[in-house]
Amino acid sequence: MFFENQRHLSFWDLARLAKAGLGGTRSVEYTTGYLSFFRDLVFGPNDMQQMLDALKQAFNHHIMVTNLVRVRYKTEFGPLKLEALYGPMVRSGKGMEQTIGALTTNGSLGLTNTSDTPIPGLLDEMERILEKACQENVATKAVCSFR
């Protein structure tokens, strides 16, 4: 989903718009088509410049959020306990972009920032925005937990 000039939307309205725009992307057909596109692009008869131009267009962003949705896993492994899981971490290599990886595991949200030039305080500000959105949504008993 690409967003431009959506500042008038509340956090939750923007989240609903993103979710609606991603409808159908969980299907096997969508995933197969997506992977086929990139496989043909990289391994097909394209010259290097065509491939680079297509990839630049596909990953042309200032800020990108990736999300692996909810992942559940066991946390106890003998004497070891897994407390958090982070990712995905995506880097397009253009230099100025910020990629935010969001992963919800066992009820907690982990955020990562992948960038050649990370913006100081970006994740702290995102946490503040998310906490505020959760407080505003208390009437629906949304549970928000950050690590």
Side-chain angles (χ1 to χ4, degrees), residues 103-116:
L103 178 61
T104 305
T105 59
N106 295 336
S108 293
L109 173 64
L111 298 174
T112 58
N113 178 218
T114 308
S115 176
D116 289 344

Side-chain angles (χ1 to χ4, degrees), residues 21-147:
L22 293 172
T25 60
R26 290 180 155 186
S27 71
V28 171
E29 294 80 14
Y30 177 86
T31 303
T32 301
Y34 187 80
L35 293 174
S36 293
F37 167 77
F38 283 104
R39 183 176 45 248
D40 292 346
L41 181 65
V42 173
F43 299 112
N46 304 312
D47 69 11
M48 185 61 75
Q49 191 58 50
Q50 284 177 313
M51 182 175 66
L52 291 174
D53 290 344
L55 289 172
K56 282 180 186 176
Q57 183 63 30
F59 296 103
N60 185 23
H61 64 276
H62 298 287
I63 296 177
M64 178 172 72
V65 177
T66 61
N67 186 351
L68 287 179
V69 299
R70 292 184 189 118
V71 178
R72 290 181 177 83
Y73 58 90
K74 293 181 180 181
T75 58
E76 304 290 330
F77 300 94
L80 301 175
K81 181 176 181 177
L82 184 61
E83 294 185 9
L85 188 62
Y86 294 90
M89 295 168 199
V90 179
R91 185 179 166 274
S92 69
K94 293 187 307 182
M96 297 300 294
E97 75 280 348
Q98 307 294 310
T99 302
I100 307 302
L103 178 61
T104 305
T105 59
N106 295 336
S108 293
L109 173 64
L111 298 174
T112 58
N113 178 218
T114 308
S115 176
D116 289 344
T117 53
I119 298 171
L122 178 62
L123 291 177
D124 290 333
E125 179 64 12
M126 289 181 67
E127 183 175 357
R128 188 192 67 74
I129 290 168
L130 289 169
E131 284 177 341
K132 182 180 177 203
C134 288
Q135 289 169 358
E136 291 170 356
N137 202 34
V138 135
T140 61
K141 298 184 181 177
V143 176
C144 299
S145 175
F146 301 96
R147 285 195 182 165

Side-chain angles (χ1 to χ4, degrees), residues 5-24:
N5 302 319
Q6 301 293 338
R7 295 176 187 251
H8 65 280
L9 294 176
S10 73
F11 176 86
W12 296 112
D13 288 340
L14 188 60
R16 282 189 278 282
L17 179 64
K19 186 172 183 176
L22 293 172

